[in-house]
Amino acid sequence: MASRMIGSAEGRWIRADLRARRGQALLTVLTVAGIVTALIAAATLLEDGTNPWRGLFERGRGAHIWLHTKTVPDVSALKSLDGVTDVAGPYHSAPATLAADRGRKVPISLQEAPAALPAVARPLLSEGRWLDVRHPEGVVVERSFARAIGLRPGSPFTVTGLNGATHTLTVAGLAETGDQGFYPEWAPGLAWTLRQTLTAVEPAPGRTETVTGLRLADPGLTDLIVQRAVFTLHGQVQRVTTWREVRAAMELDNRLLGLLLGLFGVAGLVAAALALANVTGGRVLTQLRDIATLKSLGFTRGQITRMLLVEHGALGLAGIALGVVAAWLITAYALGESGVTPLSPGPHAAITVGTALVVLVAVWLPAWRGGRTPPLPAVPAAPPRGRLSRLARLALLVRLPPALVLGARDAFTRRTPALLTICGVAIPMMMITIGLGCWATLDDFIRHPEGVGQAAALAVRPADLTAEETRERVMADPDVVAAYPGAELDALVPGQTRTVRTRALGTSADPYPFPVAEGRMFRDRGEAVAGQGLLDLLGARVGDRVRITIGGTPLIVRIVGRVIEPEQDGEVLSLGIDSLAAKDAVPPRFYGLVLRPGAEPGEARARLQAQGLEVAQAVNPADRLAVIRVIIVALVVVLALIGLANLLTAGALGLRDHVLDLAVLKAMGLTPRQVMATLVTGTGLLAVVGVLLGGCVGALWSRALIDLEGRHSGVGAGIGRAPTPGMLAAAIGIAIGAALLVALIPARRAARARIPVTAR
Amino acid sequence: MRQSLLALLAKEPAHGYELKQALEAIFGSAYPSPNIGQIYVTLGRLEKDGHVRSVGVEQSNRPNKKVYYITAAGLETLQAWAEEPTEGPRVRDEFFMKLVLAPMTGLSDRMALINRQRRHYLSLMRELGELAERTDPGDRVALLLIEGAMLHLQADLDWLERCQEELP
Amino acid sequence: MTTTPAIRAVNLVKIYQSGRGLPVPAVRGVDLTVDPGEFVAIMGPSGSGKSTLIHLLGGLDTRTSGEIWLDGKRADTLSESGWAVLRREKIGFVFQFFNLVTNMTVADNVELPALLGGASPRHARERREYLLGELGLTDRAAAAPAQLSGGEQQRVALARALANQPRLLLADEPTGNLDSRNTRDVLKLLSRVHRQGQTIVLVTHDARVAGLADRVVSLLDGEIVDDGAIVRRRGPGGTAGDVVELRG
């Protein structure tokens, strides 16, 4: 054990010291554990929010490879392939058409499923019942598709086969799956039926295909196994999908979210380091005399450093271990029920190792300083005293009560600890303020969607109607103020192998109100605006000309402005629809609808859908970033706790310094209340300075910092908002109140205690 | 001696030898054992001054012995002695004289004088310490007396230190 | 036959830097040789440099110049760690304010040096039991230092200093913070260990402590002004009755 690694004398001392301060040690362990738990939980939520595929895939034991074949493949040959652990299916699958509401026809894919849920590639039932042989008319619909179409358990499900026959089935339940992407990104929509039902809808065996899933031991070997499977099945395979495509379809490629989480993670680590350094430093400071005694007994500098490092480091590492266990319990039990999968090993290890390093560094500094204590214990560690600080003199000048003057004097007698205390409060407060800034930014997204390019709350596709009819119908709606014709196309840009999104919306004369952050809006044909991501991708600046190719037609546009672009990581070029070639522009693929202020998009959407239009509602980026809010709240709580813990340490330390003074003050006739006021002023003053400093710096920085994040995520600078004055004032008020309350605890105890006048 | 004999007689009448035994019992080894002749001489003087009176008591086979009683005048004198404050010990002026005068003669320098004196005091202190160790721990009067002597010595040593610091 | 001195200081100098950068000499060229088994008392007015001298001899402070030889080996050139190792093997220290490690029990305090010296926990425990038994503190072994009286604390500190049977016992005003009764207890202990052959160098103001020594060294302004044996004027004997005469 540790006593073998470090000498038994050190071991004895560590044990004795830990025994003497059980409460403080426990608090340290809990603080670190809290931070680690918060970090892991936040990362888990984030991963789950941005990458739902992993959770679905793991829970459903999904298949990594899906082979689409015309006929039933040789399952045993597939199973014997090296690296394949399980085979799902083979299942029959048939295309059909679903009669949705208002006479719309939606293509779907019916897939056979057994009445007993399979072990591999198991759909995850989220609502209703699974398939039942006693009710062959029941189907289970993939959830994202059901939601888009408006299906619920019990809804009629009328399908038409390729032969034209119509069958009226019923939705028995909704299920999720990690084996195909969400609708509408992944089309057609999916519904599971019993074999007999499938045969009834599509009796012709020639029109069905067979899908077979392979679950692999090592997902990294996917490509190799696909090749082998295709080879094994001798040209039977028509199509292959792999988990990578599914994941890509599901993933919210949100760099902004990742960056924000990274920021908060760093904030948490800094706060943890600060808390530990404060606790360790404070403890070492109170022990200088004992440490000097140990040195006089023959402890070397290295031994002392190692001893302190082991003692305090062990507390930190115990906290990490506890935090990992707590986070595991939370994700397994509390979040597990809502279907969150535990964090993948990479980030998990990064958080654990990162925190461990931070812990060791934070502890090493005070331990090193402790090791440098001179071995002269005869000199009592007396605080420098006597001189009134400038602040205290000012307090005297304005005739403040004596307790406040004494407290003000105490606050700054020891410069370094005073500075540490201020930092220990200011840094968490700054982080809290930045967190509030993020909150305000999200609020701003929701309150002013036009500021992030979402002036149009709805997008209408003409479906069966002509463009002109569509336009007339939408403009007839009372809530619709404007309808901008639009088209979204993929464009090839020079020097890039992939395409970027080109969005044509509005005309040069009547442009869609893009949120221009830099430069100006396009006014002529051949002019365009771009998101930060696109500018970065092309290495272009506002004012540059770029040459793109849309559907084989070259197009040269001049970028005249930069817009806030929350989609596609900002890699979007926006221009007037009249800048496009006619073949791409006429008729417009959709209309972007701007509603009158205060209108409810959901209601307008329902009304328009009732007129047979296909309407999509814009997803506010704030909704996608909603997980950030949970993280902000958790982080604010942890940071507040850290700040308060720092204050408690400072208070206890201040008390130790002033025990003798207190005896004298009491003898001079200060009442217990005045003594308390003195002590509260001593720590409270530092806390107030720290809170104000942290709040101001945070408010100043949050905008710049979020804009920086915005810039790096491609959305572009210009989204950042400082916390609202009300929010900031409330945060500062609460922080100061809590700080004073915390300062009151040791002060009250000290004021009541009978303090003997003794030699140290 | 006068006062101690008067004090003992104030307690109860006694003859000379009883007084000697009483003194030894009270002070133990702290004071030198009193001489019986000296006691009789002192008693004689006290009787002459009217502080005590003696009554002869006959004894078989032996000379008569005198039992002494305290008189009213003796009691008054004793009362006055008890109430009067006692003079404190005086600083040893002989060493101080040496210290001030010897350097003038060129025979010795102050530093050497002080050092010699200190060693002397310390050896006295050592002897007192040894004495205290030899003394029966139950003999509280004697131990207190030794401690008093030690404290006086400590004061003398401190004073030597002051002399060394202050005198050039 | 010449014996190796337990400790020898040659032209030892310590100069502090005052707050304004002016050099303040505390020890100015001290030559001191202490033979094994000797008991040396260092006296002098406050500020004469006697505490600094004893700290230098124990390596708690670094000398400005000069040499220190401990047990025939040169020690002043050692690093801080070198001194630490030397201290744990050869030097026991007793301070005015006892300086027991506050978190540890009496037993732990006394066992600590033995453990530090590499003794097995069992050996350390036996040594502790022996020492506390000698000093009459067996029943206080589990107590915290704060629960002890000053005299008891200093006795524990003495036990701790003697735990490793050091070549040299250094003490800085060991009775400076004790009343006369506790001083007497500590004095008895000191003279007992001295009789057992322990070499002792102590700084004191207390003539009763100095009276125990074989030799007294007087410091004034960082220099030795007197160094000589305390001679016994006469052989042992006499009674308390001699006190009056001694004082005369």
Side-chain angles (χ1 to χ4, degrees):
Chain A
M1 285 195 13
S3 59
R4 190 158 277 283
M5 191 181 77
I6 72 167
S8 54
E10 293 103 303
R12 193 67 71 92
W13 189 83
I14 291 172
R15 266 212 303 280
D17 189 46
L18 287 179
R19 215 180 300 135
R21 53 173 195 118
R22 289 200 188 97
Q24 203 196 20
L26 192 69
L27 194 70
T28 309
V29 171
L30 289 182
T31 310
V32 177
I35 291 165
V36 171
T37 310
L39 280 178
I40 293 182
T44 308
L45 283 175
L46 179 83
E47 193 181 48
D48 199 69
T50 52
N51 187 3
W53 170 80
R54 215 182 126 255
L56 293 172
F57 192 80
E58 282 310 313
R59 282 189 293 142
R61 289 180 50 77
H64 293 92
I65 301 170
W66 284 98
L67 303 167
H68 298 248
T69 50
K70 206 67 202 157
T71 53
V72 178
D74 181 357
V75 174
S76 58
L78 288 174
K79 209 165 204 162
S80 61
L81 281 176
D82 212 15
V84 174
T85 56
D86 272 305
V87 173
Y91 301 122
H92 284 295
S93 164
T97 311
L98 173 68
D101 48 356
R102 325 290 163 211
R104 275 195 302 144
K105 300 246 182 281
V106 182
I108 58 165
S109 165
L110 291 177
Q111 186 176 312
E112 167 199 355
L117 280 169
V120 181
R122 182 176 61 239
L124 300 161
L125 196 68
S126 58
E127 272 179 73
R129 294 177 295 102
W130 182 244
L131 302 173
D132 188 343
V133 278
R134 284 165 298 174
H135 304 284
E137 78 288 354
V139 296
V140 172
V141 184
E142 196 274 320
R143 203 162 76 130
S144 63
F145 176 61
R147 199 173 274 172
I149 304 298
L151 295 173
R152 320 181 44 160
S155 305
F157 193 82
T158 310
V159 290
T160 310
L162 286 183
N163 56 9
T166 298
H167 306 263
T168 304
L169 306 174
T170 317
V171 178
L174 308 183
E176 294 174 284
T177 176
D179 292 308
Q180 87 167 47
F182 295 137
Y183 187 83
E185 285 83 10
W186 194 283
L190 176 66
W192 292 274
T193 68
L194 291 172
R195 174 100 180 237
Q196 56 194 101
T197 321
L198 187 74
T199 318
V201 174
E202 187 52 74
R207 295 202 188 117
T208 62
E209 65 175 4
T210 305
V211 290
T212 312
L214 305 180
R215 187 167 167 85
L216 310 183
D218 178 7
L221 297 178
T222 302
D223 291 343
L224 188 70
I225 293 172
V226 166
Q227 284 174 19
R228 287 199 190 141
V230 169
F231 179 76
T232 307
L233 298 182
H234 302 293
Q236 258 184 301
V237 178
Q238 295 184 310
R239 195 157 61 89
V240 179
T241 59
T242 67
W243 60 279
R244 289 207 185 91
E245 293 155 50
V246 180
R247 188 182 65 172
M250 281 190 182
E251 235 170 16
L252 267 178
D253 187 19
N254 208 320
R255 277 194 272 169
L256 182 60
L257 198 59
L259 280 170
L260 283 175
L261 187 87
L263 173 73
F264 288 141
V266 169
L269 286 181
V270 167
L274 212 69
L276 261 181
N278 246 343
V279 167
T280 312
R283 185 68 191 165
V284 169
L285 204 58
T286 59
Q287 283 176 327
L288 283 183
R289 233 165 89 82
D290 276 356
I291 292 173
T293 301
L294 292 179
K295 282 193 130 183
S296 78
L297 290 179
F299 275 77
T300 61
R301 185 183 288 192
Q303 272 176 312
I304 299 273
T305 306
R306 200 160 58 222
M307 190 170 80
L308 293 171
L309 194 65
V310 166
E311 181 190 350
H312 296 274
L315 290 182
L317 296 182
I320 293 176
L322 188 68
V324 168
V325 171
W328 178 76
L329 288 176
I330 286 174
T331 43
Y333 292 99
L335 298 177
E337 282 169 21
S338 53
V340 173
T341 334
L343 194 59
S344 44
H348 204 282
I351 289 173
T352 314
V353 173
T355 332
L357 283 178
V358 162
V359 161
L360 291 182
V361 169
V363 166
W364 179 78
L365 199 67
W368 178 76
R369 279 188 52 188
R372 288 174 54 92
T373 313
L376 264 179
V379 188
R385 59 185 82 198
R387 248 164 46 79
L388 282 180
S389 68
R390 211 167 293 163
L391 197 72
R393 256 177 278 166
L394 190 76
L396 265 181
L397 269 181
V398 294
R399 294 184 177 279
L400 285 176
L404 292 185
V405 178
L406 288 168
R409 187 205 72 162
D410 289 350
F412 297 98
T413 26
R414 267 179 182 274
R415 294 262 162 102
T416 317
L419 204 66
L420 261 179
T421 307
I422 292 179
C423 285
V425 175
I427 292 182
M429 187 63 202
M430 184 183 84
M431 296 299 180
I432 287 176
T433 316
I434 292 174
L436 293 179
C438 290
W439 190 282
T441 305
L442 292 185
D443 277 351
D444 199 61
F445 282 1
I446 295 208
R447 210 168 298 129
H448 303 288
E450 70 275 9
V452 283
Q454 294 195 331
L458 301 176
V460 173
R461 289 181 188 281
D464 311 337
L465 305 171
T466 65
E468 204 46 46
E469 278 170 340
T470 309
R471 196 183 145 72
E472 273 164 23
R473 283 198 195 176
V474 298
M475 287 312 285
D477 191 276
D479 278 346
V480 176
V481 174
Y484 295 97
E488 284 197 344
L489 301 154
D490 286 334
L492 274 170
V493 292
Q496 295 290 326
T497 51
R498 61 203 177 91
T499 56
V500 297
R501 178 81 60 85
T502 305
R503 183 199 293 124
L505 198 55
T507 60
S508 303
D510 178 20
Y512 174 82
F514 286 108
V516 179
E518 198 185 329
R520 60 171 176 83
M521 177 58 82
F522 54 83
R523 283 198 288 261
D524 273 315
R525 291 186 58 185
E527 287 184 348
V529 291
Q532 182 72 46
L534 186 75
L535 293 177
D536 290 346
L537 184 72
L538 299 178
R541 273 184 299 181
V542 172
D544 288 355
R545 278 179 192 283
V546 293
R547 183 177 189 277
I548 56 173
T549 313
I550 300 173
T553 316
L555 182 66
I556 295 172
V557 291
R558 200 162 83 89
I559 297 175
V560 295
R562 178 174 71 75
V563 293
I564 305 288
E565 184 54 73
E567 280 175 37
Q568 306 277 326
D569 289 332
E571 292 174 1
V572 180
L573 185 73
S574 301
L575 35 67
I577 199 161
D578 48 342
S579 294
L580 293 178
K583 69 171 171 69
D584 294 320
V586 184
R589 311 276 173 90
F590 66 92
Y591 284 97
L593 306 186
V594 177
L595 304 183
R596 91 183 147 71
E600 187 55 55
E603 286 170 17
R605 177 186 184 201
R607 272 199 306 277
L608 292 170
Q609 276 178 335
Q611 301 196 20
L613 294 164
E614 198 176 306
V615 191
Q617 194 172 333
V619 181
N620 194 294
D623 293 336
R624 273 193 272 156
L625 295 170
V627 68
I628 279 286
R629 295 196 192 238
V630 181
I631 294 168
I632 290 174
V633 169
L635 205 81
V636 164
V637 170
V638 172
L639 286 168
L641 283 179
I642 288 170
L644 293 181
N646 284 344
L647 262 186
L648 262 181
T649 311
L653 208 62
L655 196 61
R656 190 194 68 97
D657 270 357
H658 299 311
V659 159
L660 278 188
D661 296 358
L662 277 185
V664 177
L665 290 179
K666 278 186 167 176
M668 275 163 51
L670 248 67
T671 63
R673 192 181 290 262
Q674 281 174 313
V675 169
M676 200 162 80
T678 306
L679 286 171
V680 170
T681 314
T683 23
L685 200 64
L686 296 179
V688 169
V689 170
V691 165
L692 290 178
L693 192 72
C696 292
V697 172
L700 287 176
W701 272 15
S702 67
R703 231 190 125 139
L705 213 57
I706 298 169
D707 271 343
L708 191 71
E709 303 269 295
R711 202 194 132 74
H712 283 289
S713 66
V715 174
I719 51 170
R721 294 287 174 273
T724 58
M727 212 182 213
L728 193 61
I732 287 180
I734 290 171
I736 289 179
L740 291 182
L741 269 180
V742 162
L744 201 64
I745 298 170
R748 245 170 81 96
R749 210 182 305 149
R752 290 187 170 176
R754 295 167 54 85
I755 298 157
V757 185
T758 52
R760 285 156 203 262
Chain B
M1 180 70 91
R2 281 168 69 94
Q3 280 81 3
S4 45
L5 291 181
L6 273 180
L8 286 173
L9 289 177
K11 208 173 106 208
E12 57 185 353
H15 54 78
Y17 193 69
E18 280 174 336
L19 288 171
K20 175 179 154 68
Q21 281 177 320
L23 278 174
E24 281 172 356
I26 292 168
F27 290 103
S29 58
Y31 272 96
S33 194
N35 183 326
I36 186 73
Q38 206 182 344
I39 288 179
Y40 281 118
V41 170
T42 312
L43 283 172
R45 284 192 194 138
L46 285 170
E47 193 170 16
K48 206 164 72 190
D49 295 344
H51 292 322
V52 299
R53 63 190 166 81
S54 61
V55 175
V57 176
E58 276 192 36
Q59 281 187 299
S60 53
N61 311 331
R62 291 176 115 192
N64 287 358
K65 73 171 178 190
K66 280 181 178 170
V67 173
Y68 292 87
Y69 294 81
I70 194 161
T71 62
L75 271 175
E76 216 168 280
T77 315
L78 192 63
Q79 183 93 29
W81 174 72
E83 285 173 5
E84 174 192 23
T86 312
E87 277 302 315
R90 282 180 296 275
V91 171
R92 203 73 44 74
D93 19 27
E94 192 197 333
F95 173 70
F96 194 66
M97 216 106 84
K98 274 190 209 168
L99 193 61
V100 175
L101 298 176
M104 297 181 187
T105 66
L107 292 173
S108 178
D109 71 297
R110 282 196 182 112
M111 197 63 91
L113 271 176
I114 290 173
N115 287 340
R116 203 175 307 127
Q117 191 68 15
R118 183 191 293 110
R119 287 195 212 176
H120 173 66
Y121 284 162
L122 284 173
S123 77
L124 284 179
M125 185 63 99
R126 183 192 193 104
E127 282 163 28
L128 282 173
E130 283 166 2
L131 189 59
E133 262 186 68
R134 277 202 310 277
T135 308
D136 171 22
D139 193 349
R140 306 232 315 265
V141 176
L143 284 175
L144 273 176
L145 196 66
I146 295 170
E147 188 157 354
M150 282 177 154
L151 289 172
H152 278 294
L153 258 184
Q154 175 78 56
D156 288 337
L157 276 161
D158 289 348
W159 181 69
L160 272 187
E161 210 162 70
R162 295 290 302 135
C163 291
Q164 197 161 36
E165 278 181 286
E166 295 296 321
L167 290 175
Chain C
M1 179 187 112
T2 52
T3 51
T4 315
I7 191 159
R8 187 157 70 92
V10 182
N11 198 16
L12 202 57
V13 174
K14 174 70 186 181
I15 299 172
Y16 289 108
Q17 295 294 317
S18 77
R20 280 175 226 144
L22 296 171
V24 179
V27 172
R28 309 195 287 187
V30 164
D31 291 305
L32 181 68
T33 304
V34 178
D35 287 324
E38 222 180 347
F39 183 166
V40 176
I42 299 175
M43 298 189 82
S46 48
S48 59
K50 52 192 195 306
S51 279
T52 306
L53 177 60
I54 202 123
H55 290 156
L56 292 178
L57 293 181
L60 296 188
D61 212 342
T62 52
R63 55 127 182 63
T64 308
S65 70
E67 294 171 18
I68 298 170
W69 296 73
L70 198 87
D71 215 8
K73 291 192 196 84
R74 184 145 182 197
D76 58 280
T77 48
L78 290 173
S79 66
E80 196 197 302
S81 299
W83 263 113
V85 173
L86 193 67
R87 263 203 302 278
R88 71 170 80 137
E89 287 166 358
K90 296 199 167 163
I91 299 176
F93 238 111
V94 178
F95 300 95
Q96 180 176 2
F97 294 103
F98 329 132
N99 288 321
L100 298 180
V101 180
T102 46
N103 288 334
M104 301 179 108
T105 60
V106 166
D108 276 348
N109 261 289
V110 179
E111 286 180 33
L112 200 58
L115 292 174
L116 191 61
S120 70
R122 202 173 127 252
H123 178 259
R125 200 184 63 235
E126 283 166 4
R127 177 83 185 143
R128 179 258 295 174
E129 281 165 358
Y130 166 75
L131 283 167
L132 289 186
E134 283 282 287
L135 306 190
L137 289 165
T138 306
D139 53 333
R140 310 308 303 264
Q147 297 170 308
L148 266 54
S149 72
E152 284 173 323
Q153 288 196 44
Q154 195 61 298
R155 271 144 70 199
V156 173
L158 199 58
R160 187 178 67 185
L162 295 172
N164 276 357
Q165 293 166 298
R167 283 285 284 160
L168 182 63
L169 180 68
L170 298 176
D172 185 6
E173 300 269 13
T175 60
N177 225 24
L178 298 180
D179 61 17
S180 69
R181 181 174 311 219
N182 281 314
T183 298
R184 209 158 55 213
D185 288 346
V186 171
L187 287 185
K188 274 186 193 154
L189 285 172
L190 281 175
S191 65
R192 199 159 88 209
V193 297
H194 174 47
R195 276 201 300 272
Q196 288 162 4
Q198 178 69 54
T199 315
I200 304 175
V201 178
L202 61 72
V203 160
T204 188
H205 236 99
D206 192 331
R208 282 171 295 175
V209 183
L212 288 177
D214 304 322
R215 194 173 130 198
V216 63
V217 171
S218 295
L219 279 184
L220 189 66
D221 286 338
E223 285 176 302
I224 293 182
V225 292
D226 187 31
D227 181 354
I230 302 172
V231 288
R232 206 184 296 267
R233 287 195 314 170
R234 69 196 115 203
T239 62
D242 300 332
V243 169
V244 181
E245 199 189 338
L246 286 171
R247 292 282 296 131

mmCIF file of all heavy atoms in Angstrom, chain C residues 117-131:
data_model
loop_
_atom_site.group_PDB
_atom_site.id
_atom_site.type_symbol
_atom_site.label_atom_id
_atom_site.label_comp_id
_atom_site.label_asym_id
_atom_site.label_seq_id
_atom_site.Cartn_x
_atom_site.Cartn_y
_atom_site.Cartn_z
ATOM 1 N N GLY C 117 13.665 7.017 11.096
ATOM 2 C CA GLY C 117 15.012 6.469 11.019
ATOM 3 C C GLY C 117 15.034 5.083 10.410
ATOM 4 O O GLY C 117 16.092 4.483 10.297
ATOM 5 N N GLY C 118 13.869 4.567 10.049
ATOM 6 C CA GLY C 118 13.823 3.281 9.368
ATOM 7 C C GLY C 118 13.572 2.109 10.305
ATOM 8 O O GLY C 118 13.656 0.958 9.895
ATOM 9 N N ALA C 119 13.232 2.391 11.575
ATOM 10 C CA ALA C 119 12.961 1.292 12.497
ATOM 11 C C ALA C 119 11.630 0.649 12.137
ATOM 12 O O ALA C 119 10.766 1.283 11.540
ATOM 13 C CB ALA C 119 12.921 1.810 13.930
ATOM 14 N N SER C 120 11.483 -0.625 12.505
ATOM 15 C CA SER C 120 10.211 -1.294 12.245
ATOM 16 C C SER C 120 9.179 -0.732 13.215
ATOM 17 O O SER C 120 9.525 -0.254 14.297
ATOM 18 C CB SER C 120 10.355 -2.792 12.472
ATOM 19 O OG SER C 120 10.502 -3.031 13.856
ATOM 20 N N PRO C 121 7.883 -0.750 12.812
ATOM 21 C CA PRO C 121 6.852 -0.225 13.708
ATOM 22 C C PRO C 121 6.898 -0.888 15.085
ATOM 23 O O PRO C 121 6.649 -0.252 16.098
ATOM 24 C CB PRO C 121 5.558 -0.549 12.977
ATOM 25 C CG PRO C 121 5.937 -0.613 11.545
ATOM 26 C CD PRO C 121 7.332 -1.129 11.514
ATOM 27 N N ARG C 122 7.270 -2.178 15.130
ATOM 28 C CA ARG C 122 7.303 -2.869 16.409
ATOM 29 C C ARG C 122 8.425 -2.306 17.281
ATOM 30 O O ARG C 122 8.226 -2.007 18.456
ATOM 31 C CB ARG C 122 7.515 -4.375 16.179
ATOM 32 C CG ARG C 122 7.041 -5.190 17.361
ATOM 33 C CD ARG C 122 7.095 -6.677 17.080
ATOM 34 N NE ARG C 122 7.847 -7.338 18.136
ATOM 35 C CZ ARG C 122 9.048 -7.837 17.986
ATOM 36 N NH1 ARG C 122 9.639 -7.788 16.818
ATOM 37 N NH2 ARG C 122 9.653 -8.410 18.996
ATOM 38 N N HIS C 123 9.577 -2.125 16.666
ATOM 39 C CA HIS C 123 10.705 -1.582 17.422
ATOM 40 C C HIS C 123 10.387 -0.173 17.905
ATOM 41 O O HIS C 123 10.684 0.186 19.052
ATOM 42 C CB HIS C 123 11.960 -1.581 16.548
ATOM 43 C CG HIS C 123 13.137 -0.989 17.238
ATOM 44 N ND1 HIS C 123 13.559 0.294 16.994
ATOM 45 C CD2 HIS C 123 13.942 -1.482 18.199
ATOM 46 C CE1 HIS C 123 14.594 0.558 17.768
ATOM 47 N NE2 HIS C 123 14.847 -0.502 18.516
ATOM 48 N N ALA C 124 9.763 0.621 17.033
ATOM 49 C CA ALA C 124 9.420 1.994 17.404
ATOM 50 C C ALA C 124 8.460 1.987 18.589
ATOM 51 O O ALA C 124 8.578 2.807 19.503
ATOM 52 C CB ALA C 124 8.775 2.713 16.217
ATOM 53 N N ARG C 125 7.538 1.032 18.577
ATOM 54 C CA ARG C 125 6.564 0.983 19.659
ATOM 55 C C ARG C 125 7.254 0.596 20.970
ATOM 56 O O ARG C 125 6.995 1.186 22.015
ATOM 57 C CB ARG C 125 5.456 -0.015 19.325
ATOM 58 C CG ARG C 125 4.195 0.218 20.132
ATOM 59 C CD ARG C 125 3.147 -0.829 19.866
ATOM 60 N NE ARG C 125 3.595 -2.157 20.260
ATOM 61 C CZ ARG C 125 3.615 -3.207 19.451
ATOM 62 N NH1 ARG C 125 3.221 -3.089 18.199
ATOM 63 N NH2 ARG C 125 4.034 -4.371 19.875
ATOM 64 N N GLU C 126 8.159 -0.350 20.901
ATOM 65 C CA GLU C 126 8.848 -0.772 22.124
ATOM 66 C C GLU C 126 9.673 0.368 22.708
ATOM 67 O O GLU C 126 9.651 0.608 23.916
ATOM 68 C CB GLU C 126 9.760 -1.966 21.804
ATOM 69 C CG GLU C 126 8.977 -3.254 21.672
ATOM 70 C CD GLU C 126 9.802 -4.366 21.028
ATOM 71 O OE1 GLU C 126 11.008 -4.134 20.755
ATOM 72 O OE2 GLU C 126 9.233 -5.429 20.797
ATOM 73 N N ARG C 127 10.352 1.077 21.814
ATOM 74 C CA ARG C 127 11.176 2.194 22.264
ATOM 75 C C ARG C 127 10.291 3.273 22.906
ATOM 76 O O ARG C 127 10.626 3.832 23.938
ATOM 77 C CB ARG C 127 11.940 2.759 21.060
ATOM 78 C CG ARG C 127 12.788 3.960 21.343
ATOM 79 C CD ARG C 127 14.148 3.594 21.903
ATOM 80 N NE ARG C 127 14.886 4.792 22.261
ATOM 81 C CZ ARG C 127 15.678 4.898 23.309
ATOM 82 N NH1 ARG C 127 15.863 3.868 24.106
ATOM 83 N NH2 ARG C 127 16.319 6.021 23.567
ATOM 84 N N ARG C 128 9.157 3.526 22.266
ATOM 85 C CA ARG C 128 8.228 4.519 22.799
ATOM 86 C C ARG C 128 7.721 4.098 24.174
ATOM 87 O O ARG C 128 7.679 4.898 25.110
ATOM 88 C CB ARG C 128 7.060 4.682 21.815
ATOM 89 C CG ARG C 128 5.993 5.666 22.221
ATOM 90 C CD ARG C 128 4.760 5.011 22.771
ATOM 91 N NE ARG C 128 4.077 4.201 21.774
ATOM 92 C CZ ARG C 128 3.038 3.439 22.051
ATOM 93 N NH1 ARG C 128 2.570 3.365 23.282
ATOM 94 N NH2 ARG C 128 2.479 2.718 21.106
ATOM 95 N N GLU C 129 7.355 2.807 24.304
ATOM 96 C CA GLU C 129 6.844 2.343 25.592
ATOM 97 C C GLU C 129 7.902 2.497 26.683
ATOM 98 O O GLU C 129 7.609 2.932 27.794
ATOM 99 C CB GLU C 129 6.383 0.883 25.474
ATOM 100 C CG GLU C 129 5.005 0.781 24.826
ATOM 101 C CD GLU C 129 4.678 -0.627 24.353
ATOM 102 O OE1 GLU C 129 5.537 -1.524 24.487
ATOM 103 O OE2 GLU C 129 3.552 -0.816 23.847
ATOM 104 N N TYR C 130 9.151 2.195 26.313
ATOM 105 C CA TYR C 130 10.241 2.315 27.286
ATOM 106 C C TYR C 130 10.392 3.779 27.714
ATOM 107 O O TYR C 130 10.420 4.093 28.905
ATOM 108 C CB TYR C 130 11.533 1.795 26.662
ATOM 109 C CG TYR C 130 12.767 2.165 27.434
ATOM 110 C CD1 TYR C 130 13.087 1.513 28.631
ATOM 111 C CD2 TYR C 130 13.598 3.193 26.995
ATOM 112 C CE1 TYR C 130 14.207 1.880 29.357
ATOM 113 C CE2 TYR C 130 14.718 3.561 27.721
ATOM 114 C CZ TYR C 130 15.020 2.901 28.904
ATOM 115 O OH TYR C 130 16.122 3.270 29.618
ATOM 116 N N LEU C 131 10.464 4.691 26.715
ATOM 117 C CA LEU C 131 10.718 6.104 27.023
ATOM 118 C C LEU C 131 9.585 6.699 27.845
ATOM 119 O O LEU C 131 9.811 7.384 28.838
ATOM 120 C CB LEU C 131 10.901 6.904 25.728
ATOM 121 C CG LEU C 131 12.258 6.745 25.057
ATOM 122 C CD1 LEU C 131 12.229 7.296 23.660
ATOM 123 C CD2 LEU C 131 13.338 7.451 25.878
#
